[in-house]
Amino acid sequence: MAKVALLIGVSEYQELNPLPSAVRDVAALKVVLAQEAIGGFDHVKTLENPELTQLQDAVYELFEQCSKEDLVLLYFSGHGVKDQSLELFLTTPQTRKNDRGLIVPHTAVSARYLQNRITTSRCQRTVVILDCCYSGAFAKGMTAKDEGKVNVLEQLGGKGRAILTSSTAVQSSFQQDERSLSLYTHYLVEGIKTGAADLDGDGQISADELHQYTHQKVTEESPAMTPEFYPVKEGHRIFVAKAPQDEPLLLYRKEVQRLVAEQDDAIAFLTGEFDPWDRALLDDCMQKWQIPAEAAQQIEQEITEPLRQRYQKLKEYETLYQKAVQHCWPISERIARRLQELQRAWGLRDEDIAPIEARLCPASVAEVPTPAPELSPATSETPDAPVVHSSVKTVDYQTLKALLEQQQWKAANQETFRLMLAATERQAQGWLDFDAIKRLPKAVLRTIDELWTVASQGRFGFSAQKKIWQRLDRGDQRETEKMLGVEVGWRKGGRWTFEIIDDLNAPEGHLPFWGDWGKSPAMPWLGKGISAVLFSQIEICSVPSNSLSSVSSTSQTLADKLAQVELNSAKGADYSKLRDLLKEQAWEDADQETLRLMVEVGALDYKNYLNVEDIKNFPCEDLRSIRAIQRKKKPKLKEEKGEFQQTTFRDPANGGYLVLKGS
């Protein structure tokens, strides 16, 4: 059995952008593969900037001369391009594109050629590593490795094969000026050279372990870059290299990795310093394993480097965003576009920058210089309604107000979404993104929030949600959002749910539900930190006093309203006692009387409780009578242990709700 490798690097191009690191990638990988104690490869051939026929001949010989038991590794660093049918091509210095930007096929090596050579080979253990991309993003200090998207597994898959790629859709397999190797190959080599990619500690680095290690390190530094792994048959268990076991430097490296993974906020990434507790533990390990201070420092720096790089990008983005806010608010479209371009170039996701933007958004428009808008005031029809604030946008709140007064919560939720789209002029798109939330006029948010707050007596609305969010917040935006989801009924069994409870007895803060307002496939809202952006725009409001007086006057006429209720029973039940108890607001006794009536009407005295079948067979006429009485004044029932519990049944005739005890 032999281990052979062909490493190809193309840095120089006649028409495409140069990639200086590609030939250095090849040289660095050759060093670790050729070392007997690490890679143990019997033969490693390298090609730097090869001609087309030279590259094809080398690939042909690689697979033609191998035997069944050999391990063959093919590595390519350079531009990856595609043709009109999305077939992948590996480029050479002479590769060029036509006027439409598509590859001229005879100037590059197609994936089909590689597939044929691999398939006809006798070798049953093949590893293909492609450090090239299929979509392009060009920015200062970075050069991407092309554009498009290809199905790598379909084009290169086969028996006993492992395919590792630096990225599938290029947010970027790019080089940075300060690093000599490409980002992907840098961590590929590091994982093999140090043995850190031996994740299970068995002394062997398999293809899947190498991918897992490289993927983790790359995404720590550049989260938007997504290395991929395509194992075929037993390809994931092909052993690429060896790793020392119980070697002090490797043990120390794994201990540092463990501490960083457990609590990366314990490290000041700009300096690479650990907190006192981790530092004490690492010092003890240095002494126990006799690790020189210089070697320990190098290991710590290597492990924290990707996190430090990401931290520096975030700090730079924060500085630029703060300057943008100070320049003008709302941020102009031109500056917002530049910030988005920088975000993509630096590999930062929306959820990475959301907390920064939420923190730096002005608490009110008056805090930053901005031209005075022309206001389009809208007024409410009754003096008891909440104030409808002036808005930069002309927004008609009357439909929302009417729906909330009628307690049509689900319909009001949809109307709220429609108003948000109108206020941000995104009716055509039909969904909101992070930028749209940041552009929402505060007057619009404040009016919508007050309408919900008043209608629900403080139970629903953005203010109710923000209070819960502030109580739960421990600094991790995404975790806080998950806890918020559990508390308001949006998250069950560890998953987000899009079911809306159309009732005032829904959990506090349940509405308005904004989890499905981001309809873009690239914008998963819940669990991604959108709450930090939304709540930064919200000023908590309380139920206005004029609306409370309206509620008070309603309770004063409760007896009159109850007296007007027409009571009917299919079984001759007497509901007068229940009505009297509700007049007196004796809620617990009324709850007991309701259960007694249900048992009586259902002829269930022998068991004194109701099951689902009993409810199904219950006379609708009696349900309507009970519902009519209780809807005149519905109590907020306590649910603490030791106090009476509640069970809610839906009235099949009218769609209302009936609160019962003891079912």
Side-chain angles (χ1 to χ4, degrees):
M1 182 191 78
K3 296 176 70 176
V4 294
L6 173 61
L7 314 180
I8 305 165
V10 183
S11 290
E12 301 172 1
Y13 291 92
Q14 295 177 4
E15 294 190 11
L16 305 179
N17 287 347
L19 298 173
S21 75
V23 295
R24 297 195 293 265
D25 292 341
V26 165
L29 186 57
K30 178 182 179 180
V31 170
V32 295
L33 293 183
Q35 287 188 35
E36 184 177 354
I38 302 177
F41 275 71
D42 302 290
H43 181 63
V44 180
K45 181 177 181 177
T46 62
L47 289 179
E48 297 181 2
N49 303 311
E51 300 285 336
L52 175 63
T53 55
Q54 184 184 5
L55 194 159
Q56 289 175 325
D57 288 345
V59 171
Y60 174 83
E61 292 173 1
L62 175 70
F63 291 103
E64 181 66 21
Q65 297 175 3
C66 63
S67 67
K68 180 179 179 180
E69 299 301 324
D70 289 346
L71 167 61
V72 174
L73 185 148
L74 173 64
Y75 168 88
F76 176 83
S77 178
H79 280 298
V81 294
K82 62 181 177 66
D83 66 3
Q84 196 166 8
S85 62
L86 298 183
E87 181 178 2
L88 170 66
F89 285 79
L90 304 185
T91 57
T92 68
Q94 293 75 36
T95 297
R96 65 180 189 274
K97 294 183 178 181
N98 60 24
D99 294 339
R100 292 179 296 163
L102 298 174
I103 184 71
V104 177
H106 63 269
T107 65
V109 177
S110 69
R112 190 184 306 111
Y113 177 81
L114 296 178
Q115 174 80 301
N116 290 339
R117 299 274 48 88
I118 296 172
T119 303
T120 57
S121 169
R122 289 167 293 181
C123 178
Q124 295 188 5
R125 293 187 301 154
T126 303
V127 177
V128 179
I129 303 176
L130 303 177
D131 191 355
C132 57
C133 300
Y134 318 110
S135 66
F138 295 86
K140 183 178 180 181
M142 305 175 187
T143 51
K145 297 181 181 176
D146 212 38
E147 58 185 313
K149 184 178 288 186
V150 298
N151 190 327
V152 177
L153 182 60
E154 180 181 303
Q155 296 183 28
L156 294 180
K159 183 178 180 181
R161 197 169 304 162
I163 306 166
L164 292 80
T165 68
S166 58
S167 182
T168 55
V170 150
Q171 273 95 3
S172 42
S173 181
F174 53 74
Q175 293 77 243
Q176 292 179 294
D177 291 338
E178 68 270 16
R179 178 178 280 121
S180 62
L181 305 182
S182 75
L183 181 64
Y184 181 75
T185 298
H186 172 83
Y187 290 116
L188 194 76
V189 171
E190 179 183 279
I192 298 173
K193 181 180 179 180
T194 63
D198 178 19
L199 302 182
D200 60 8
D202 65 352
Q204 298 281 358
I205 298 175
S206 61
D208 62 335
E209 287 179 316
L210 184 57
H211 162 71
Q212 289 176 44
Y213 176 83
T214 308
H215 181 277
Q216 177 186 344
K217 303 297 284 189
V218 167
T219 53
E220 281 177 354
E221 181 171 335
S222 183
M225 185 175 170
T226 54
E228 297 291 341
F229 180 56
Y230 306 94
V232 182
K233 299 288 185 181
E234 296 299 316
H236 63 288
R237 294 306 298 166
I238 295 176
F239 295 124
V240 178
K242 294 176 286 187
Q245 291 182 290
D246 300 327
E247 198 275 326
L249 290 178
L250 181 58
L251 292 174
Y252 187 77
R253 178 178 292 275
K254 290 187 174 182
E255 184 65 8
V256 175
Q257 287 175 328
R258 182 183 69 83
L259 295 179
V260 170
E262 283 184 0
Q263 192 174 357
D264 58 14
D265 61 353
I267 305 168
F269 294 121
L270 288 177
T271 61
E273 296 294 330
F274 289 80
D275 67 21
W277 303 275
D278 287 351
R279 182 72 269 163
L281 181 59
L282 290 176
D283 288 344
D284 181 69
C285 291
M286 288 172 58
Q287 184 176 1
K288 178 173 60 177
W289 294 323
Q290 298 182 347
I291 307 293
E294 185 176 339
Q297 184 178 5
Q298 181 178 349
I299 290 173
E300 293 170 14
Q301 185 172 355
E302 288 176 357
I303 292 174
T304 58
E305 179 63 21
L307 299 170
R308 187 161 49 248
Q309 290 282 346
R310 185 179 66 179
Y311 182 85
Q312 288 175 330
K313 293 172 188 174
L314 288 170
K315 293 299 290 183
E316 180 65 16
Y317 185 90
E318 181 176 351
T319 300
L320 292 172
Y321 190 82
Q322 188 170 30
K323 289 180 179 179
V325 170
Q326 293 170 347
H327 178 70
C328 70
W329 183 262
I331 295 174
S332 69
E333 290 186 8
R334 183 185 68 83
I335 295 177
R337 193 162 54 248
R338 292 293 177 270
L339 287 171
Q340 288 177 346
E341 290 170 359
L342 283 170
Q343 177 191 344
R344 288 194 297 269
W346 291 343
L348 301 175
R349 302 163 299 179
D350 289 327
E351 54 264 39
D352 295 323
I353 65 173
I356 293 174
E357 297 184 353
R359 187 171 65 254
L360 295 179
C361 279
S364 66
V365 177
E367 290 183 8
V368 293
T370 183
E374 294 184 7
L375 303 180
S376 301
T379 57
S380 61
E381 296 178 352
T382 65
D384 289 336
V387 177
V388 178
H389 297 275
S390 299
S391 169
V392 177
K393 308 290 181 185
T394 302
V395 179
D396 183 0
Y397 301 96
Q398 297 308 314
T399 300
L400 176 61
K401 179 174 177 291
L403 290 170
L404 289 170
E405 287 176 348
Q406 298 164 22
Q407 297 194 0
Q408 296 185 32
W409 308 113
K410 193 170 185 178
N413 187 70
Q414 288 295 327
E415 176 64 11
T416 298
F417 181 37
R418 190 192 68 78
L419 291 176
M420 301 283 254
L421 291 175
T424 54
E425 298 179 344
R426 289 186 62 85
Q427 298 97 322
Q429 291 86 347
W431 54 274
L432 299 171
D433 57 13
F434 278 55
D435 286 335
I437 293 297
K438 288 180 283 188
R439 292 198 312 271
L440 271 167
K442 291 185 183 295
V444 173
L445 281 171
R446 190 159 58 249
T447 300
I448 292 174
D449 185 31
E450 286 193 5
L451 286 169
W452 276 95
T453 301
V454 170
S456 65
Q457 298 183 40
R459 191 167 184 81
F460 296 152
F462 297 129
S463 288
Q465 294 169 354
K466 183 172 181 177
K467 289 176 184 177
I468 298 171
W469 182 77
Q470 289 177 329
R471 171 167 53 81
L472 298 173
D473 186 21
R474 297 295 184 272
D476 186 325
Q477 304 294 347
R478 282 180 280 184
E479 284 303 312
T480 302
E481 200 158 274
K482 289 179 182 178
M483 291 189 289
L484 171 70
V486 172
E487 186 139 338
V488 302
W490 299 348
R491 187 174 174 85
K492 298 177 182 178
R495 294 187 175 185
W496 295 101
T497 175
F498 292 85
E499 297 177 3
I500 295 176
I501 302 174
D502 192 13
D503 186 75
L504 191 58
N505 282 332
E508 186 173 348
H510 183 69
L511 295 171
F513 174 67
W514 37 262
D516 59 352
W517 291 358
K519 292 294 186 182
S520 166
M523 183 58 61
W525 268 37
L526 290 172
K528 299 297 183 181
I530 185 63
S531 57
V533 178
L534 177 62
F535 294 146
S536 70
Q537 307 285 83
I538 301 297
E539 298 172 1
I540 294 179
C541 73
S542 57
V543 181
S545 58
N546 55 357
S547 66
L548 289 174
S549 64
S550 174
V551 173
S552 175
S553 64
T554 300
S555 64
Q556 292 172 1
T557 61
L558 176 60
D560 296 334
K561 291 183 177 181
L562 287 170
Q564 297 170 4
V565 175
E566 183 178 353
L567 303 177
N568 299 305
S569 173
K571 302 292 184 178
D574 182 4
Y575 292 100
S576 58
K577 182 178 180 180
L578 175 60
R579 178 163 52 189
D580 292 340
L581 290 170
L582 289 170
K583 284 181 183 179
E584 299 167 4
Q585 299 189 10
W587 309 122
E588 187 168 358
D589 291 340
D591 186 69
Q592 291 279 8
E593 177 64 11
T594 300
L595 176 60
R596 189 194 67 76
L597 287 168
M598 298 283 284
V599 170
E600 176 188 330
V601 171
L604 302 169
D605 297 328
Y606 64 94
K607 62 179 182 180
N608 201 37
Y609 69 89
L610 296 90
N611 57 26
V612 174
E613 198 61 34
D614 297 330
I615 295 297
K616 288 181 180 178
N617 297 326
F618 200 86
C620 291
E621 190 173 358
D622 288 80
L623 277 175
R624 278 195 292 271
S625 294
I626 296 174
R627 170 179 174 270
I629 299 174
Q630 293 207 352
R631 282 195 65 180
K632 295 303 178 183
K633 183 64 178 178
K634 184 180 294 183
K636 291 186 178 179
L637 298 178
K638 295 183 180 180
E639 297 181 351
E640 287 86 355
K641 186 175 181 181
E643 302 203 29
F644 66 99
Q645 303 295 312
Q646 69 180 49
T647 301
T648 304
F649 294 95
R650 180 179 290 277
D651 177 348
N654 293 322
Y657 284 84
L658 178 66
V659 180
L660 302 176
K661 172 192 171 184
S663 62

